[in-house]
Coordinates of all heavy atoms in Angstrom, one line a residue:
Chain A
K3 N 1.9 5.0 -0.2 CA 1.1 6.2 0.2 C 1.8 7.5 -0.4 O 1.1 8.4 -0.7 CB 1.0 6.2 1.7 CG 0.3 5.0 2.3 CD 0.2 5.1 3.8 CE -0.5 3.9 4.4 NZ -1.9 3.7 3.9
T5 N 4.5 8.6 -3.3 CA 5.2 8.1 -4.4 C 6.1 9.2 -5.0 O 5.6 10.3 -5.4 CB 4.2 7.6 -5.5 OG1 3.4 6.6 -4.9 CG2 5.0 7.0 -6.7
C23 N 6.2 14.4 -6.6 CA 5.8 13.6 -5.4 C 4.2 13.6 -5.3 O 3.6 14.7 -5.4 CB 6.3 14.3 -4.1 SG 5.8 13.5 -2.6
V24 N 3.7 12.4 -5.2 CA 2.2 12.3 -5.1 C 1.8 11.5 -3.9 O 2.4 10.5 -3.6 CB 1.7 11.6 -6.4 CG1 0.2 11.4 -6.2 CG2 2.0 12.4 -7.6
Q25 N 0.9 12.0 -3.1 CA 0.4 11.3 -2.0 C -1.1 11.0 -2.1 O -1.9 11.8 -2.7 CB 0.6 12.0 -0.6 CG 0.3 13.5 -0.6 CD -1.1 13.8 -0.1 OE1 -1.8 12.8 0.4 NE2 -1.5 15.0 -0.1
D26 N -1.6 9.8 -1.6 CA -3.0 9.4 -1.8 C -3.8 9.5 -0.5 O -4.8 8.7 -0.4 CB -3.0 8.0 -2.5 CG -2.4 7.0 -1.6 OD1 -1.9 7.3 -0.5 OD2 -2.4 5.8 -2.1
M27 N -3.4 10.3 0.4 CA -4.0 10.3 1.7 C -4.7 11.6 2.0 O -5.1 11.8 3.2 CB -2.9 10.0 2.8 CG -2.3 8.6 2.6 SD -0.8 8.5 3.6 CE 0.3 9.5 2.5
D28 N -4.8 12.5 1.0 CA -5.5 13.7 1.2 C -4.9 14.6 2.3 O -5.5 15.4 3.0 CB -7.0 13.5 1.6 CG -7.9 14.7 1.3 OD1 -7.6 15.4 0.3 OD2 -8.8 15.0 2.0
H29 N -3.6 14.6 2.4 CA -2.8 15.3 3.4 C -2.7 16.8 3.0 O -2.5 17.1 1.8 CB -1.4 14.7 3.6 CG -1.4 13.5 4.3 ND1 -0.3 12.7 4.5 CD2 -2.4 12.9 5.0 CE1 -0.6 11.7 5.3 NE2 -1.9 11.7 5.6
M32 N 2.9 19.0 2.8 CA 3.9 18.2 2.1 C 5.2 18.9 2.2 O 5.3 20.1 2.3 CB 3.4 18.0 0.6 CG 2.1 17.2 0.5 SD 1.7 16.8 -1.2 CE 2.9 15.5 -1.6
V52 N -3.0 23.8 -1.1 CA -2.9 24.0 -2.5 C -2.4 25.4 -2.8 O -3.0 26.4 -2.2 CB -4.2 23.7 -3.3 CG1 -4.1 24.0 -4.7 CG2 -4.6 22.2 -3.1
R68 N 2.5 23.5 -6.3 CA 1.4 22.6 -5.7 C 0.1 23.1 -6.3 O -0.6 23.9 -5.6 CB 1.4 22.6 -4.2 CG 0.5 21.5 -3.6 CD 0.8 21.2 -2.2 NE 0.0 20.1 -1.7 CZ -0.3 19.9 -0.5 NH1 0.1 20.8 0.4 NH2 -1.0 18.9 -0.1
E69 N -0.2 22.6 -7.4 CA -1.5 23.0 -8.1 C -2.6 22.1 -7.7 O -3.8 22.5 -7.7 CB -1.3 22.8 -9.6 CG -0.3 23.8 -10.2 CD -0.7 25.3 -10.0 OE1 -1.9 25.6 -10.2 OE2 0.2 26.1 -9.7
K70 N -2.3 20.9 -7.2 CA -3.4 20.0 -6.7 C -2.9 19.5 -5.4 O -1.7 19.4 -5.1 CB -3.6 18.8 -7.7 CG -4.2 19.2 -9.0 CD -4.5 18.0 -9.9 CE -5.1 18.4 -11.2 NZ -5.5 17.2 -12.0
K71 N -3.8 19.1 -4.5 CA -3.5 18.8 -3.2 C -2.6 17.6 -3.1 O -1.8 17.5 -2.2 CB -4.8 18.5 -2.4 CG -4.7 18.4 -0.9 CD -6.0 18.2 -0.2 CE -5.9 18.2 1.3 NZ -7.2 18.1 1.9
E72 N -2.8 16.6 -4.0 CA -2.0 15.4 -3.9 C -0.6 15.4 -4.5 O 0.2 14.5 -4.3 CB -2.8 14.2 -4.6 CG -2.9 14.4 -6.1 CD -4.2 15.1 -6.5 OE1 -4.8 15.8 -5.6 OE2 -4.6 15.0 -7.7
R73 N -0.3 16.5 -5.2 CA 1.0 16.6 -5.9 C 1.8 17.8 -5.5 O 1.3 18.9 -5.5 CB 0.7 16.6 -7.4 CG 1.9 16.5 -8.3 CD 1.5 16.6 -9.7 NE 0.6 15.5 -10.1 CZ 1.0 14.3 -10.6 NH1 2.3 14.1 -10.7 NH2 0.1 13.4 -10.9
F74 N 3.1 17.5 -5.2 CA 4.0 18.6 -4.8 C 5.3 18.4 -5.6 O 5.9 17.3 -5.4 CB 4.2 18.5 -3.3 CG 5.0 19.6 -2.7 CD1 4.7 20.9 -3.1 CD2 5.9 19.4 -1.6 CE1 5.4 22.0 -2.5 CE2 6.5 20.5 -1.0 CZ 6.3 21.8 -1.5
C91 N 10.6 13.2 -0.2 CA 9.3 13.9 -0.1 C 8.6 13.3 1.1 O 8.8 12.1 1.4 CB 8.5 13.7 -1.4 SG 6.8 14.3 -1.3
S93 N 4.8 13.7 3.6 CA 3.5 14.4 3.8 C 2.9 14.0 5.2 O 3.2 13.0 5.8 CB 2.5 14.0 2.7 OG 2.0 12.7 2.9

Side-chain angles (χ1 to χ4, degrees):
Chain A
K3 299 182 183 299
T5 303
C23 177
V24 177
Q25 50 94 2
D26 61 0
M27 297 162 286
D28 201 35
H29 284 172
M32 297 186 74
V52 176
R68 194 163 181 204
E69 296 296 319
K70 294 184 178 181
K71 193 174 185 180
E72 67 271 17
R73 186 182 299 270
F74 190 38
C91 176
S93 74

